[in-house]
Amino acid sequence: MEGEVPADDFALVDIGNEVRYCKDIYSEGPFNIPQDNCTFLQNLGTSMCKCGEQQSSPTNDCRLCEDETEELKMPLLESLPGEFCAETEIQARRDDESTCVHYQGVVGVYCQCKNNKPSLDNVCRLCRDGVLLPDPTKAVGEKSCMFYEFNASIHGTCPESQALYASSCCQRIDNQTNSGAYFTPALQIII
């Protein structure tokens, strides 16, 4: 990373055999990283850690997983359009602190966090009875169902968003319409 400090120490990077924080990769530098991995890690530093770029600083300690000891199990899972869960967590730390419950209640849940605070009851679900989206990454128009759920939660437009998107985002399994069964969330891992 040629001496440039990561703009976001807590960005998560998949380095092949493990997922590490940018700050940890940077602090190891030339001491513990084999030379043949150097160019690869420099490229990751530029793209994921934003080395040498000015970034807005985190304004809060929001994590997608409400339990601070719980790490993101799948940081490279697609979350909001064009982002991994790890990138959305960085955005949550830069956003207003009041939005944290929405990041945790919508995005965190789909990123496989075990979030269950009572305050999550105030989070919008597009599907009736608080059922999770069967395919949160499903595109409806230009955005994903998870985006519409998150946006409705942040802006307090749940009834309007349910009316607009529930029919597209909450489709039941055809052969089980009477059982009330929904699809298992089909999240995508971007490699």
Side-chain angles (χ1 to χ4, degrees):
M1 291 182 221
E2 300 186 30
E4 295 177 348
V5 178
D8 195 327
D9 286 342
F10 292 98
L12 290 168
V13 177
D14 183 350
I15 58 172
N17 58 348
E18 63 183 317
V19 176
R20 306 279 305 276
Y21 285 111
C22 288
K23 67 181 177 103
D24 296 333
I25 296 169
Y26 178 79
S27 66
E28 288 181 10
F31 305 110
N32 297 323
I33 298 173
Q35 188 61 37
D36 58 339
N37 288 345
C38 189
T39 302
F40 171 71
L41 290 173
Q42 285 174 338
N43 291 335
L44 282 177
T46 301
S47 63
M48 292 298 290
C49 300
K50 308 295 184 203
C51 292
E53 291 184 24
Q54 188 66 26
Q55 297 286 324
S56 60
S57 299
T59 60
N60 65 70
D61 291 328
C62 184
R63 303 262 185 215
L64 293 182
C65 299
E66 68 184 25
D67 179 353
E68 292 180 12
T69 63
E70 182 183 2
E71 294 289 331
L72 285 172
K73 290 173 187 54
M74 302 185 78
L76 298 181
L77 205 59
E78 182 181 358
S79 59
L80 296 175
E83 290 184 2
F84 302 123
C85 291
E87 293 171 304
T88 303
E89 183 168 78
I90 294 165
Q91 182 59 36
R93 295 186 65 208
R94 292 183 176 141
D95 211 338
D96 187 84
E97 190 171 2
S98 66
T99 63
C100 187
V101 69
H102 304 288
Y103 278 102
Q104 291 175 341
V106 177
V107 184
V109 169
Y110 295 115
C111 287
Q112 310 297 310
C113 294
K114 299 174 188 168
N115 296 346
N116 58 9
K117 281 184 181 176
S119 60
L120 297 182
D121 294 338
N122 298 324
V123 171
C124 178
R125 295 280 177 238
L126 293 180
C127 303
R128 66 173 164 63
D129 300 326
V131 173
L132 294 177
L133 294 166
D135 183 357
T137 60
K138 178 182 179 181
V140 175
E142 295 181 16
K143 304 290 183 180
S144 69
C145 292
M146 186 192 321
F147 173 84
Y148 293 122
E149 190 169 271
F150 177 72
N151 196 47
S153 205
I154 291 269
H155 297 292
T157 58
C158 199
E160 299 90 340
S161 295
Q162 287 170 331
L164 287 170
Y165 305 112
S167 63
S168 298
C169 292
C170 304
Q171 296 173 354
R172 295 173 183 256
I173 299 172
D174 291 337
N175 62 355
Q176 297 181 3
T177 55
N178 295 330
S179 71
Y182 283 82
F183 290 103
T184 303
L187 299 174
Q188 299 173 354
I189 298 176
I190 300 172
I191 299 176

